Amino acid sequence: MSAPGRPLAIDLFCGLGGWTEGFLANSYDVVGFDIERRPYRAQLVLQDVLTLHGSQFRKAAVIVASPPCQQYSYRAMPWKRVRELPPPDNSLFEACFRIREEASQAAGRYIPLIIENVRGAQRWVGRAAWHYDSYYLWGDVPALMPFPVDGRKGFKPRFEDTDFARFYSTTPERKAAVAKLSKIPFPLADHIARVHLP
Ligand SMILES: C[S@@+](CC[C@H](N)C(=O)[O-])C[C@H]1O[C@@H](n2cnc3c(N)ncnc32)[C@H](O)[C@@H]1O
């Protein structure tokens, strides 16, 4: 899966490859998994993450994952109808931990996992360890983490946290705009990649 001498990173729900770009910049080989094909700079496998068995990632140095956030964002809205919804399905989030567990067991060593999602996910999956702007992080988040350059002053909530037109519109243009806004910022991806260099 990776060239000799180069560490391997696995990017689950890779989207436009924000995580991937940070790892490539730090000389990792990267394999990304998604159910949709988008512009992506590394090896892309079109596969549902739920169907993956982690043992195939035994050579990975690190796994990163950004499961879809719509159901958490939506439930965080201050709308009455949202309170009547059933709890969200956490299976994609949970699959990341299962895959990491299977990978670690097959490798005989601990393989770190970092999951990114929205603030609203905390109510359903537990408190995040850190956040970088609106990118909330769970799992093996390093003790030292970067702050966004402009800090809270320049804080802009992600479009998907504020504008729910996307729930009523599935046009390709709208989907492309949302994918762009969900892309992991390079400084965050670069930091995680550096910290996990073997
Ligand atoms: C929040 S976006 C990922 C953003 C990405 N980290 C980036 O930097 O661009 C979530 C991605 O999960 C993908 N996805 C949704 N359900 C999936 C599934 N069951 N298996 C694999 N990918 C899935 C979507 O197609 C979407 O690209």
Side-chain angles (χ1 to χ4, degrees), residues 13-18 34-35 38 47-49 66 68 92 183-184:
F13 312 96
C14 59
L16 288 172
D34 206 292
I35 48 172
R38 295 197 181 81
Q47 189 173 342
D48 184 340
V49 164
S66 297
L92 292 177
K183 186 172 174 180
I184 301 292

Side-chain angles (χ1 to χ4, degrees), residues 79-158:
W79 298 335
K80 198 168 158 227
R81 66 174 175 276
V82 162
R83 274 181 256 138
E84 285 149 19
L85 288 173
D89 173 6
N90 294 330
S91 57
L92 292 177
F93 214 96
E94 286 158 5
C96 302
F97 289 102
R98 169 185 60 74
I99 288 165
R100 187 273 299 283
E101 216 38 59
E102 292 163 352
S104 299
Q105 271 187 23
R109 72 190 153 86
Y110 185 80
I111 297 179
L113 165 74
I114 295 98
I115 304 184
E116 177 271 339
N117 216 277
V118 290
R119 183 174 58 181
Q122 295 185 108
R123 177 164 175 218
W124 308 103
V125 300
R127 206 179 156 147
W130 183 257
H131 70 99
Y132 182 96
D133 271 349
S134 56
Y135 301 85
Y136 281 66
L137 303 172
W138 287 258
D140 300 299
V141 179
L144 289 176
M145 287 292 290
F147 287 92
V149 172
D150 47 2
R152 300 301 300 182
K153 231 172 134 207
F155 177 75
K156 279 201 202 84
R158 270 199 270 176

